């Protein structure tokens, strides 16, 4: 493979040149894999919002703040009784999926982005059951 993609990097050695070009192979060699896995495990364990007990309810709260369309308000109204805690999400997973599918199949829905995001976060909560 040809090393045609080179990036500038600050040169910390004692010399006149402040920047030096670094090849992709050199940049790849500096990646610390253990740190990536540790960060992934930490990000998987708890939702961004400390008050929410599930990823799904945290994202529903997020979308409730940012999406005020009629389509999303109808979705939120249908989902809200089933998502107060992780236990409720796990218990009502079939109902939640049915509601998401029903609203996803609505023609020209303005809540489609939120539905897809909620679906991925539901999968995150269900993990092996999904």
């Amino acid at each position: 493979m040809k090393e045609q993609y080179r990036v500038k990097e600050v040169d910390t050695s004692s010399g006149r040149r402040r920047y030096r070009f670094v090849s992709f192979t050199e940049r790849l060699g500096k990646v610390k894999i253990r740190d990536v896995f540790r960060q992934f495990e930490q990000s998987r364990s708890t939702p961004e919002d400390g008050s929410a007990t599930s990823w799904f309810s945290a994202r529903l709260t997020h979308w409730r703040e940012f999406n005020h369309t009629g389509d999303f308000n109808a979705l939120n109204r249908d989902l809200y009784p089933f998502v107060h805690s992780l236990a409720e999400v796990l218990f009502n997973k079939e109902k939640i999926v049915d509601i998401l599918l029903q609203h996803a199949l609505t023609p020209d829905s303005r809540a489609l982005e939120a539905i897809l995001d909620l679906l991925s976060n539901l999968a995150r909560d269900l993990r092996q059951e999904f």
Side-chain angles (χ1 to χ4, degrees):
M1 185 171 148
K2 205 173 190 181
E3 295 290 334
Q4 62 186 10
Y5 300 106
R6 298 174 68 89
V7 177
K8 287 184 179 180
E9 177 182 83
V10 175
D11 190 8
T12 57
S13 65
S14 60
R16 293 182 5 206
R17 296 185 180 171
R18 176 135 174 99
Y19 296 99
R20 70 179 188 95
F21 287 99
V22 180
S23 69
F24 177 74
T25 309
E26 289 176 293
R27 286 181 31 215
L28 191 58
K30 292 180 182 182
V31 174
K32 297 178 183 171
I33 301 296
R34 292 176 192 238
D35 291 342
V36 172
F37 287 126
R38 188 177 307 126
Q39 289 172 355
F40 176 72
E41 286 300 320
Q42 288 173 352
S43 70
R44 240 178 65 152
S45 61
T46 57
E48 298 93 11
D49 180 11
S51 65
T53 57
S54 74
W55 289 101
F56 187 81
S57 61
R59 292 309 287 178
L60 185 62
T61 302
H62 165 82
W63 283 108
R64 194 178 306 130
E65 294 172 4
F66 290 103
N67 191 339
H68 297 285
T69 62
D71 294 330
F72 180 77
N73 288 336
L75 172 69
N76 183 42
R77 196 172 31 253
D78 292 344
L79 285 175
Y80 190 72
F82 306 113
V83 298
H84 295 291
S85 68
L86 179 60
E88 281 186 305
V89 169
L90 295 175
F91 184 74
N92 296 309
K93 61 186 173 194
E94 289 88 7
K95 292 176 189 174
I96 292 171
V97 170
D98 289 341
I99 292 168
L100 289 172
L101 286 175
Q102 174 191 354
H103 286 275
L105 296 175
T106 303
D108 299 326
S109 175
R110 289 186 224 137
L112 193 57
E113 182 181 1
I115 292 169
L116 295 175
D117 183 49
L118 288 170
L119 186 61
S120 69
N121 282 283
L122 179 63
R124 193 178 217 181
D125 280 339
L126 298 178
R127 289 192 181 117
Q128 293 140 351
E129 295 180 29
F130 196 77

